[in-house]
Structures are given as C-alpha cells and as structure tokens.
Amino acid sequence: MNSPLQFELPEELQQLRELVRDVVRKEVVPNRMHYDENNEYPKAILQKFKEAGLYQALFDEEHGGLGYGMMGGIVLAEEVSWGCLGVNTAFTSTKLGALPIDVGGTKAQKDKWLPLLASGEKTAAFGLSEPGAGSDVPAMATTAVKKGDRYVLNGTKQWISSAGQADIYTVFAMTDKGRGPRGISCFIIEKDTKGFSFGKKEDKLGIRCSETRQLIMEDCEIPEENLLGGKENMGFLHAFKTLILSRPAVAAGAVGLMQGAFDAAIEYAREREQFGTTIASFQAIQHMLADMAIKIEGSRLLTYKAGVYAETFHKDAAKFSAMAKCYASDSSVQVASDAVQIFGGYGYTKEYPVEKFYRDAKILQIYEGTSQIQRNEIAAGLIKDAASKTKKG
C-alpha cells in the first residue's frame, strides 16, 4: 500500500537543490568568513546567484520566474543557509519584500515590479517593525496621509534587512489610526524617493553580511498608484498573509544552518582523537549527534508541511507556519551550541565554522516574529480549534 506522504521532492526540485548546492559550495563557503568579519554585503555572491537564475526560482512563471512555488523557496533557503545564514537573509529579503505585492498587489503592480525582482535586476526589502512596534504591530507610529494624488509618509522602520541595498521597499503605515490594526496600509517605495533615507548600518552579533538599517521617512511623497492593492487599510491582511508564507522559509533557513553545523560536527568527531580513539566512539558524543539529527529531521518535516499548507492558505497554515518557525529556530540554537561543544575549545575560535553557525542561529528566534510570539499564535490556533470542535459536538 502506497503511503500518501511524499518524502521525496519532485525531480525538478531535486535538480534545483543540486544546482544551489554547487553554487553555495563554490561561492559562499570559501568567502563567508570574509563577509562576516568585514560586516560586508555579499554583492559578488548575489551576482553569482543572479547569473545562476536563483532569483527566478523564487517567483512564478507568470512574472518571469521558474514556477517552483513555495517548496522551491524552501529548498533555496535551506541550501543557502547550509553555507551562510547571512547570505541567505540578504538573498531571500527580496522575496520577503515581494510577498506583499504577490499576495495583495493589483495586476498592474505585479506586472510592473515582480518581473524586475524575478530577474534579479532589482531587489526588495520588507518594512514592518518599528523602534516602538516590533511584536506589537498595532503600536505602529508611521503614518501615511493622502494629499491629492499622493501619499505623504512620516515615520521610522527598524531592523530592516537589506535596507540601503534594496531598490524597492514594501512599507506599512497607519492610514486610519482610529481603526487600530485595521487602519494599516502598505506602500511600495523606491529607493531614490525624496524624503526616504536610511539609518546607520547595525553592527550585529550574527548574519553580519546581511545589512540591517532603519528606514526613515520624512515627508516622503509617493504616488497613489503605489498604495498596495489600490485600497487603504488592507495592510494588516497583507502582512498576515506575507508572514504565513515567509515563516516556513525562515524555518528552512534554520534547517539549513543546523545541517551545516551538524555536518561540520560529525566530520570533526570522526577525526578528532582523545584517549587513543576518535571522539565519535564516545557514547556522550553519539547521543549529542543523535539528538542533533532528531531536531534537524523533525524541523525539516514540519517545515515542509508548513510550506505545503502556506502555499494553499490551508485553514491551519498560520498555525503550522508558526510551529515550523518556532521549533526550527529554537532547535537551531541548540544544535549550533552542541556543534561548538563537540569541537571543544576549537569550536570557540574562528578557525572553524561552528562559532559562526552559533552566532547566526540566535537571530532565527527573533526576526519575523519571536519564538514567544509564535507560541502565542500557536496557542490561539489550538484554542480556536478546540472551541470549534466543542460547538460542532
């Protein structure tokens, strides 16, 4: 009897995985410490990604992409993060910035912007968080006021990946403060727009090659055709749909990072000798490796399920996206920590890659919704499900 569960990716996605692995091993792995130590944006690597058609793999065929869907994005995030989570963040920030257009844009907006992003000719970024409104989105202070055929935006966005490097920004602002979260709208802002600028580059613990800055809007005027979807007060819905689709990709980044840390750790354990034998022969090390593998495979399966649900906007998509993001993120910190432990003192030095995996992993529990916020959303979904079952009973 054939199982309904499919654990093998379709052939085209397996081919994509092999392509990405080849590019990552040639371009990312040899250069990742240079970009990390110099806090330098990986322009040369992203150019290689463009030449290899990896940006196209993030988008649908209608807009110049390859049409691999959600699973294509997950494969990309997983494999690039195996090499460097910072490079992955710099790369996939374009898809994150494009998602509001994808889920909420008019046909004209999609036709104008998405082909440019799919080709890699332009890159994008996503602007939701603020200095005083991270997890608390309704506390957003950025405003957009309609004046004639234009909107005037004022405010600051915080922790924006690829800010200053990206060409196009999807930015959320209050158009009706009295409606709370239902009064948020989303706007498309081009980099060279008057009144639009960037704060200092943050000096971060990890993902150091992915630039993080503020977006600053000071009487920033944009044409009304850049109001996403052509309707005000739809931004909360656009953000909600975006995060359902983006969180499995973050989880995939965590899976890739864990796999990279695990691969380094098990190779080292097989080579490193103590007390006349390799440390891989010690049961304590074997149990650590087993626990790491369990977390990786559990995270991978949950991520793939969340990806399938997200792509179809299944009724449980939000819950499983949050589960995948939370579990994989938390697991990545533990797996990276265990990898450092297996390396011992060497793991604490920059001579080996595991200290970087460890530093990079922490951001996964923070960006695109903290692990605590994910648990809130998971619990809310569980309680809603239970209430629904009670009513039906």
Side-chain angles (χ1 to χ4, degrees), residues 270-314:
R270 292 176 62 246
E271 296 174 353
R272 173 67 168 168
E273 291 190 1
Q274 290 286 276
F275 304 103
T277 186
T278 63
I279 64 173
S281 66
F282 301 154
Q283 191 177 64
I285 298 297
Q286 292 173 358
H287 284 187
M288 289 177 70
L289 292 169
D291 286 341
M292 293 163 77
I294 291 168
K295 288 183 172 66
I296 294 167
E297 294 305 330
S299 296
R300 181 175 282 121
L301 289 174
L302 185 54
T303 296
Y304 287 7
K305 180 172 183 176
V308 171
Y309 275 19
E311 188 164 42
T312 59
F313 284 102
H314 185 280

Side-chain angles (χ1 to χ4, degrees), residues 303-375:
T303 296
Y304 287 7
K305 180 172 183 176
V308 171
Y309 275 19
E311 188 164 42
T312 59
F313 284 102
H314 185 280
K315 65 180 181 65
D316 290 327
K319 181 174 67 180
F320 275 90
S321 288
M323 283 180 173
K325 201 274 184 185
C326 183
Y327 183 72
S329 296
D330 287 354
S331 295
S332 72
V333 174
Q334 185 61 58
V335 167
S337 176
D338 287 347
V340 172
Q341 191 70 21
I342 288 171
F343 271 79
Y346 290 110
Y348 205 68
T349 71
K350 292 183 181 294
E351 182 180 353
Y352 293 92
V354 289
E355 66 85 28
K356 181 180 182 300
F357 285 124
Y358 186 45
R359 287 187 289 108
D360 286 350
K362 185 59 191 177
I363 192 60
L364 292 161
Q365 293 179 308
I366 298 171
Y367 68 5
E368 290 194 52
T370 65
S371 291
Q372 288 72 29
I373 287 295
Q374 305 309 311
R375 286 178 168 84

